[in-house]
Amino acid sequence: HKAVARVQQFQSPAQVSKSKILESTKIAIDVGFRHIDAAYVYENEEEIGQAIRSKIADGVVKREDIFLTTKLWSTFHRPELVQVCLEKSLKKFQLDYVDLYLIHYPISIKVECHPYLNQSKLLDFCKSRDIVLVAYAALGSQRPKIWVDQNAPFLLNDPVLCAMAKKHNRSPAQIALGYQMQRGVIALAHSYEENEMKENIQ
């Protein structure tokens, strides 16, 4: 699926319970997500591994049905640390392998991308080089107070998105995700709520 279940803690680890991460991952698998995006720095590998193993045990999925991504944090880039860190992640997941192991670094072609920040020039460049652009915050910025003016418009309340959603009997989030898919952009959609996950995958 082009929409990826991104079970990331945008708040500090203390603000999001481990049980919430576990249950959200299970729900994401139940509603049909098959690409799970984790990372050492998100502190979610144990719960995601537990959720995947639980859904395998329940017969909902097989391990090969899940495309699991995790990431090597920026402070561990030295060659002698890479395998050690991967093994630590696998131990946390309690799984034999991950499908994609990325270097977690600020420079990448995974960028904030949504109708208010459509990255059109970057997308054109990526397409010209056969590079797939991955959009995080595809439903709008997380709006942290230190970076974003809290009076700035909220994407999912945008009148154009809301009008299109009403016309097509969809949610504004579904319109925003459809926009990305039509552009050939992979959208990382994240939520802890079951009804939102179902909308995202639809």
Side-chain angles (χ1 to χ4, degrees):
H1 296 282
K2 286 193 176 183
V4 179
R6 189 173 199 218
V7 185
Q8 177 177 350
Q9 293 171 253
F10 289 98
Q11 301 92 354
S12 69
Q15 292 175 308
V16 178
S17 71
K18 300 292 186 179
S19 62
K20 187 72 169 173
I21 295 168
L22 174 64
E23 290 309 310
S24 296
T25 306
K26 287 181 179 179
I27 291 167
I29 293 169
D30 284 339
V31 303
F33 285 97
R34 295 297 179 260
H35 184 170
I36 307 294
D37 184 61
Y40 165 84
V41 74
Y42 302 161
E43 298 182 17
N44 62 5
E45 292 173 324
E46 289 179 36
E47 292 73 28
I48 287 175
Q50 186 179 347
I52 292 170
R53 293 190 321 275
S54 171
K55 290 302 168 182
I56 290 170
D58 292 347
V60 175
V61 291
K62 298 175 183 173
R63 173 61 188 92
E64 58 267 25
D65 296 331
I66 300 292
F67 191 92
L68 177 60
T69 299
T70 197
K71 302 171 198 77
L72 176 73
W73 184 237
S74 300
T75 54
F76 304 121
H77 289 182
R78 292 199 323 268
E80 65 272 18
L81 296 177
V82 175
Q83 183 173 340
V84 172
C85 290
L86 175 58
E87 288 170 354
K88 284 182 180 178
S89 289
L90 290 172
K91 187 173 181 180
K92 287 181 181 178
F93 286 125
Q94 293 184 37
L95 295 169
D96 294 332
Y97 66 95
V98 296
D99 298 281
L100 181 62
Y101 193 50
L102 297 173
I103 295 172
H104 211 159
Y105 197 72
I107 300 169
S108 72
I109 307 297
K110 183 167 90 172
V111 295
E112 180 175 349
C113 183
H114 47 74
Y116 284 174
L117 181 62
N118 70 16
Q119 304 284 6
S120 58
K121 288 182 181 179
L122 178 60
L123 179 58
D124 288 344
F125 172 81
C126 288
K127 286 183 175 181
S128 75
R129 303 291 194 280
D130 289 327
I131 298 170
V132 176
L133 191 140
V134 177
Y136 74 81
L139 301 179
S141 167
Q142 290 296 306
R143 304 169 61 86
K145 291 179 182 179
I146 61 170
W147 296 323
V148 177
D149 177 358
Q150 298 301 293
N151 295 317
F154 183 60
L155 177 68
L156 296 182
N157 292 337
D158 182 88
V160 174
L161 275 182
C162 291
M164 291 178 70
K166 185 175 181 180
K167 178 180 177 182
H168 296 286
N169 197 27
R170 296 285 181 248
S171 70
Q174 288 172 316
I175 299 297
L177 292 173
Y179 163 78
Q180 297 291 26
M181 293 179 74
Q182 288 175 345
R183 302 169 76 217
V185 172
I186 293 175
L188 297 177
H190 47 82
S191 175
Y192 291 112
E193 304 301 324
E194 182 173 4
N195 65 318
E196 292 175 356
M197 287 187 206
K198 286 179 180 177
E199 283 186 357
N200 290 347
I201 201 159
Q202 289 169 357

